[in-house]
Amino acid sequence: MGQEMNNILVIGSTGQIGSELTPALRENYGAESVVGTYWSTEPTGDLTNGPMEKLDVTDRESIAEVIEKHDIDSVFNLAAILSAKGEENPQMAFKINVVGFFHLLELGLEYELNRIVNPSSIGVFGPEVPSQQAPNETVLRPTSMYGVTKVTDELLGNYYYHRFGLDVRGLRLPGIVSSKTLPGGGTTDYAVEVFYEAIREGHYTFFVREDTALPLMYMPDCVKALIDLAEAELDNLEHHCDFNVSSMSFSAGELAHKIEEHIPGFTYAFEPDERQKIADSWPDSMDDTPAREEWGWEPDYGLDAMVEDMIEKLEVKLGQDAT
Ligand code: AKB
């Protein structure tokens, strides 16, 4: 049985996932019990409905201060440099994704934290992995710096669990599609940008080929996966930091067709850039049997439901009616 999460720290609350996970955790655990943090982007809107701290994940002392100030016992770490940005600055990716996480592991021991959740990614996979239903247990030889940092984090997290009994958990998230906050610096960003441009401009140029298929997930499922994994019974977990979690897989061309059904006249083109190489090194889909068996993972959204909901939400947000 794992220990309870009472006072939760979310590192990176103003990012794509953090901006939706933080309010969801506050809903479940109470606004005052969930401390959000930010670095370069100031919090706005519902993020200001609870405690917020400015925090640099590479500065161990500043994390320790926030843990002490708020009597934190559990941490969700969403601070990360994603795959495309990681290729521009591999050194920074290592510092934030690995050194930042290492500080958390060490602070986890020092402050006897009950739980650390650190998302991993499909970025851990490399070209040798079967592209259909990539297994949970497989060779991990990523070709991007992002992937290297995420494999390192998975191994470190598992090591700290087995060596020190620190309850560290993580899951390999696919590309996340969401309407609240844009992602930044990822290879799967096209799957979000296309909705904005389709509604605003009626046209989008994908930076990957039409036949590029990847595992993707809608934000409500991502938030559910993170919270369900964090709340799962420790006794039921055989894996800890490396769960595949899957919900849907589609190509850039399929997504474009689906959007066209809702936005007639939408036009699109495909001009692959350097991100294509990263996309080609990742599998099209993943097998997530361990997540389903060990903590009951099951997604709610498929492609149709996601596209419908995204367009509905973005039309309101962007103040236009595209139909
Ligand atoms: C990226 O594209 O880098 C991320 C990811 C798949 O982890 N969205």
Side-chain angles (χ1 to χ4, degrees), residues 118-135:
N118 190 64
S120 186
S121 158
I122 54 169
V124 296
F125 298 117
E128 299 95 342
V129 166
S131 75
Q132 302 303 320
Q133 295 295 101

Side-chain angles (χ1 to χ4, degrees), residues 257-292:
H257 288 306
K258 214 28 100 186
I259 292 174
E260 206 180 356
E261 285 172 20
H262 294 265
I263 305 178
F266 168 54
T267 57
Y268 44 89
F270 301 90
E271 285 177 19
D273 65 15
E274 67 287 344
R275 287 168 280 192
Q276 183 69 54
K277 211 170 124 211
I278 301 174
D280 286 342
S281 74
W282 293 347
D284 295 6
S285 61
M286 277 184 285
D287 174 56
D288 58 2
T289 306
R292 288 173 188 261

Side-chain angles (χ1 to χ4, degrees), residues 16-17 82 119-125 146 171-177 183 187-189 191-192 214-219 221-222 225-226 243-250 282-286 288 297 299:
Q16 186 197 14
I17 297 176
L82 300 183
S120 186
S121 158
I122 54 169
V124 296
F125 298 117
Y146 177 60
L171 70 194
R172 294 175 182 149
L173 291 175
I176 305 300
V177 178
T187 301
T188 58
D189 291 9
V192 182
L214 288 171
L216 291 127
M217 182 182 282
Y218 196 31
M219 183 61 89
D221 278 331
C222 171
L226 284 162
F243 285 100
N244 283 1
V245 279
S246 192
S247 79
M248 57 184 117
S249 165
F250 50 81
W282 293 347
D284 295 6
S285 61
M286 277 184 285
D288 58 2
W297 161 244

Side-chain angles (χ1 to χ4, degrees), residues 11 55-60 63 77 79 96 99-101 103-104:
I11 299 181
L55 181 149
D56 173 3
V57 75
T58 65
D59 177 357
R60 182 182 157 137
I63 310 171
N77 177 32
I96 291 178
V99 177
F101 179 54
H103 289 330
L104 287 176

Side-chain angles (χ1 to χ4, degrees), residues 109-123:
L109 297 182
E110 188 177 330
Y111 289 93
E112 298 182 358
L113 297 182
N114 293 343
R115 191 96 78 263
I116 297 176
V117 179
N118 190 64
S120 186
S121 158
I122 54 169

Side-chain angles (χ1 to χ4, degrees), residues 179-208:
S179 57
K180 188 171 177 185
T181 307
L182 279 164
T187 301
T188 58
D189 291 9
Y190 66 85
V192 182
E193 288 170 10
V194 60
F195 286 95
Y196 281 79
E197 295 305 299
I199 292 169
R200 276 198 297 232
E201 308 291 338
H203 180 83
Y204 182 65
T205 301
F206 286 85
F207 55 75
V208 291

